[in-house]
Amino acid sequence: MLAWAAYNHFKKSGDLDRAGKLNYSKSEIVKLRAQELINATTGIRDLANQAALMPDAAARGVTAERVSQLTQTISNYGALMSTPRGQIVNRSTLGKEIAKDTAALLLPLPPTSSAP
């Protein structure tokens, strides 16, 4: 998960303030709804984008490509949520599709060294 990769990067870099802002579990993110989900994932994206510019970030799983994928997912979700209810066939189906898209972004993290 990009949030955990960025969390790991900031923690190993000694930036505990930004690491603390990324301390989400997958289940916490899945429980978020509508605007809360957009706000949380936008914050994750913004911090991950900052991390992607730092040395060793790619080795810890934070890449511009993964940030771009998250940006696209946020845009797609926002567009669907702004669609009138009458045009959305089934909100539970929408939730399942978003969970599937999010799960597809959950790539295994590369092994990290124990040294900061």
Side-chain angles (χ1 to χ4, degrees), residues 5-6 9-10 18 22 46-58 62:
H9 174 72
F10 285 128
R18 287 193 276 186
L22 293 165
D46 292 345
L47 288 169
N49 197 34
Q50 293 172 19
L53 302 174
M54 299 172 72
D56 298 325
V62 183

Side-chain angles (χ1 to χ4, degrees), residues 31-47:
K31 289 178 186 176
L32 295 174
R33 298 290 176 235
Q35 193 59 45
E36 289 178 338
L37 180 60
I38 292 172
N39 293 342
T41 54
T42 300
I44 290 168
R45 187 227 23 227
D46 292 345
L47 288 169

Side-chain angles (χ1 to χ4, degrees), residues 8-28:
N8 182 46
H9 174 72
F10 285 128
K11 184 176 176 187
K12 293 205 179 274
S13 299
D15 190 343
L16 299 181
D17 182 50
R18 287 193 276 186
K21 293 176 183 177
L22 293 165
N23 195 7
Y24 288 98
S25 70
K26 180 181 174 185
S27 62
E28 288 173 326

Side-chain angles (χ1 to χ4, degrees), residues 8 12 59-60 110-116:
N8 182 46
K12 293 205 179 274
R60 294 179 179 143
T112 59
S113 63
S114 59

